Amino acid sequence: MKKNLLLVLGFTFAFGATAQVANKHSLKLENRPILTVKDMGSYYNFSKDNNNFTAKAGGDVIWSEDFTNANGWVFDNQGQTAANTGWDTVTTTRSWATQYNIITKKILSTSGGNFLEVVNGKIIISGSNQTSDSPIDVIYTATSPSITVPNPNVTVRFLQYGALFNDSQTMEVSVDGSNWIEVFSNNDRKTQEAYANPELVEANLGLAGLPAATTSIQFRFKFTSRITGPTATNPMAWLAMGWMIDDIDVVENYSSDLKLQEPLVTSAGVRYSKVPAAQGHEVAVLNSALNNGIDTLTDVMSYVKMTTPTGESIDTLAGNPLLASYLVDSIVHSFNLTDLGTYKVSDFGAYFDGTDEVPENDTSSYSFSLDFGGDIYALDLGGTPSEYDYENENLEYRVGNVFDMYADAEVTGIDIFLYASGNVKSTVGNEIYGAVREYQGAGDNPILARTENYGIFATDNNKWITLVFEEPVQLYQDATYLATVETYGSGNTGANVYDMVIGFSGESLRGSSLAYYASGSTTQWYIAGTGGTPMVRMNFTPGLVSTSNLNESLKVNIYPNPAKDAAVVDYNTAFDGNVTVSVVDLSGRTVYTNTFANQTAGNNKVELNTSDFNAGVYQVVINANSSTVTKKLVIR
């Protein structure tokens, strides 16, 4: 069970009630990569790799450290001497995050005993206010002694544990003690989510381009903040959950080692889980193999299992005939969405003409599925939300996903999932709306159309709801749009007040899920949840829309609104038939319902006696001619 954390604009956050999943914060937006089948090979940064690695007899260990003594290590903590700041060797963590069950007390390393750790201050909670005592403008480093190596073809392996917050966690290497090259980073990971305990990390220094004559190295672990600009003056921008390191080895690289990187499935930089039948297109599948050894590899081959609605096959493609040491061969498989149904890619692998000394890293268990057909366009994976995001400061909040159009279409609604667990749930009665925006990345993302306001019911918790446009919104081929759910806040303040809580499910490619927070004088679009996917979808189902023109089947107006003793429901129907009018309170209880039989087409009125209704917000639901219109009614 984790306490729920949220960072807004990179430095403010709130704790809510204990829940079963953790929410995420948002990082300042970088434009999403627009990838095509032809240019996907440049997508990856290969300096980081967390795949498991088993040492063999040929992978000689040159140097080891388990921090029993930490001889020769230099800690530069920039003069900070408080017990909860800087690098130190410890037997149990100094982090405040243990009291919120985010991380546990120690890294479960093989050696046990002492381990290396960095922290920077603690969280301070006073009522609904949160701050920290974190020193700002600090760079803490823990530098190894000089290590003799036969050449630069070595790998540094270590175990790590902890979690990322607003901090930067990197490792650098140097051959002269003055110039440093970054060879590993945790900074693209999910925040506020504990790493595996322990997690094995490899940093192949052969990828760093060290001089061929290298005979000694030093490496250092480095802590600072990822936050820049005006918000970096807030101590919250420097708060850390802690980073623990133990059992470091420096080993010689293998001569012959092809290593598979994490595969990538993408439609021009977006990874969809559902694609409407009208939006068929080519989906690229990138399989990347790194020459992780010293020798040049010949005749690299890539394969992936492709499952389509019509069958399955192993797609095999030739890669680089000569793959030099420490280079990556990015081989692009693809499939076209033509037949309706489920598509899946799995069983990734690569091989070359020769003997691989580490064959266990030649394959990947990664798989991905998407559904083609129907009227829903989605990035999220559905099911039970794995995380959530929210705004609880009674300010403007928007969150959603990027969608590319492969054919002209009319969107009729925005589907959203309202998450709830314990006290973490949307404020009943708070008004939200769906929107379609022109996608401009970190720009304004101007609004093109929005739905009417929708007042949240208590019965909406942990459900999909559809926010309906008054008229179909025309979207155009080759254009990119941002679909969002938005709120201006509930007007309520205090502990456990969450204006709108949106579920997250699955991982999105960086920049394809966005959030917007208005906090004080600062407004900015951000990458939502550092890779998580908001459960916000486009709905193209015909007939969802109640149009505002004279040919619509049902048009409704309510006045006065707010009302006291009476309200008039004025409705215009296109056809003769029965009309049912219901009034539902925010708990989902129907407080009034009546069916008016044989209503003639045209304008009709029903007067509601509201004098016995409690003051508050209600929904008036009108059903006629297979059409439904919901209007908000406020009773004073």
Side-chain angles (χ1 to χ4, degrees), residues 262-592:
E262 182 179 351
L264 174 68
V265 179
T266 176
S267 300
V270 183
R271 185 163 51 208
Y272 301 110
S273 60
K274 294 182 180 294
V275 177
Q279 301 297 322
H281 59 273
E282 183 183 32
V283 178
V285 180
L286 178 66
N287 198 20
S288 293
L290 165 68
N291 183 346
N292 200 47
I294 301 170
D295 295 344
T296 296
L297 304 180
T298 60
D299 296 331
V300 173
M301 300 292 291
S302 167
Y303 61 90
V304 60
K305 183 178 180 180
M306 299 274 194
T307 305
T308 72
T310 59
E312 64 182 37
S313 62
I314 302 297
D315 190 48
T316 302
L317 294 176
N320 202 316
L322 294 174
L323 183 61
S325 179
Y326 309 127
L327 293 184
V328 172
D329 193 2
S330 297
I331 303 169
V332 181
H333 304 255
S334 67
F335 58 86
N336 285 295
L337 298 174
T338 53
D339 299 305
L340 300 182
T342 299
Y343 292 74
K344 180 180 179 180
V345 291
S346 60
D347 299 344
F348 288 80
Y351 58 92
F352 61 95
D353 185 14
T355 301
D356 196 320
E357 295 180 82
V358 193
E360 59 265 36
N361 61 20
D362 298 349
T363 59
S364 171
S365 61
Y366 175 84
S367 66
F368 186 80
S369 299
L370 68 86
D371 294 324
F372 177 51
D375 299 302
I376 304 300
Y377 214 171
L379 278 67
D380 71 272
L381 298 182
T384 302
S386 57
E387 305 171 59
Y388 59 91
D389 204 358
Y390 65 89
E391 168 62 76
N392 70 332
E393 294 186 351
N394 193 32
L395 296 169
E396 185 177 5
Y397 168 51
R398 314 167 190 164
V399 64
N401 298 308
V402 169
F403 295 89
D404 291 320
M405 298 302 296
Y406 295 89
D408 292 355
E410 292 183 335
V411 62
T412 54
I414 302 295
D415 289 357
I416 66 168
F417 189 95
L418 291 176
Y419 171 86
S421 178
N423 290 326
V424 180
K425 55 190 173 183
S426 303
T427 298
V428 172
N430 182 40
E431 291 190 335
I432 61 176
Y433 60 91
V436 172
R437 293 176 172 271
E438 177 185 342
Y439 174 74
Q440 293 183 350
D444 292 335
N445 296 309
I447 195 167
L448 300 177
R450 55 162 288 175
T451 70
E452 290 189 344
N453 285 358
Y454 176 86
I456 297 173
F457 287 73
T459 52
D460 290 333
N461 288 329
N462 285 323
K463 290 183 179 178
W464 284 99
I465 63 173
T466 301
L467 306 174
V468 181
F469 291 102
E470 291 187 7
E471 298 181 357
V473 181
Q474 182 65 57
L475 306 182
Y476 297 98
Q477 181 178 351
D478 297 327
T480 300
Y481 299 93
L482 178 61
T484 59
V485 58
E486 308 184 5
T487 183
Y488 284 96
S490 63
N492 298 323
T493 59
N496 298 325
V497 174
Y498 306 89
D499 294 334
M500 178 177 69
V501 186
I502 300 298
F504 275 52
S505 176
E507 296 301 308
S508 59
L509 300 183
R510 189 174 182 84
S512 59
S513 297
L514 310 182
Y516 176 97
Y517 302 93
S519 180
S521 60
T522 304
T523 58
Q524 177 70 56
W525 285 99
Y526 291 82
I527 295 172
T530 63
T533 307
M535 299 172 78
V536 178
R537 302 172 170 182
M538 280 188 172
N539 192 324
F540 293 89
T541 304
L544 281 181
V545 180
S546 174
T547 62
S548 59
N549 58 52
L550 295 178
N551 295 323
E552 70 181 348
S553 62
L554 182 61
K555 181 173 66 176
V556 178
N557 187 30
I558 299 178
Y559 58 88
N561 195 359
K564 184 176 181 182
D565 296 324
V568 175
V569 181
D570 187 332
Y571 57 90
N572 189 302
T573 62
F575 307 98
D576 295 343
N578 297 341
V579 176
T580 299
V581 178
S582 302
V583 180
V584 182
D585 67 18
L586 290 179
S587 70
R589 182 173 63 94
T590 300
V591 297
Y592 169 90

Side-chain angles (χ1 to χ4, degrees), residues 176-195:
D176 59 11
S178 298
N179 299 292
W180 297 90
I181 301 171
E182 182 179 308
V183 292
F184 171 78
S185 172
N186 282 322
N187 293 349
D188 60 350
R189 301 178 65 125
K190 292 182 184 180
T191 58
Q192 305 169 37
E193 181 173 288
Y195 309 156

Side-chain angles (χ1 to χ4, degrees), residues 180-292:
W180 297 90
I181 301 171
E182 182 179 308
V183 292
F184 171 78
S185 172
N186 282 322
N187 293 349
D188 60 350
R189 301 178 65 125
K190 292 182 184 180
T191 58
Q192 305 169 37
E193 181 173 288
Y195 309 156
N197 189 9
E199 179 181 80
L200 179 61
V201 173
E202 286 184 336
N204 187 335
L205 303 191
L207 279 70
L210 302 181
T214 297
T215 57
S216 67
I217 61 167
Q218 285 182 283
F219 56 87
R220 67 183 185 185
F221 298 99
K222 181 178 176 181
F223 165 94
T224 186
S225 174
R226 298 193 317 278
I227 308 303
T228 59
T231 59
T233 60
N234 190 306
M236 291 293 290
W238 300 83
L239 186 63
M241 288 184 171
W243 186 23
M244 310 176 203
I245 295 162
D246 204 359
D247 294 353
I248 307 172
D249 290 332
V250 178
V251 300
E252 290 190 80
N253 289 346
Y254 290 93
S255 296
S256 180
D257 179 16
L258 185 67
K259 185 173 186 178
L260 205 65
Q261 309 298 297
E262 182 179 351
L264 174 68
V265 179
T266 176
S267 300
V270 183
R271 185 163 51 208
Y272 301 110
S273 60
K274 294 182 180 294
V275 177
Q279 301 297 322
H281 59 273
E282 183 183 32
V283 178
V285 180
L286 178 66
N287 198 20
S288 293
L290 165 68
N291 183 346
N292 200 47

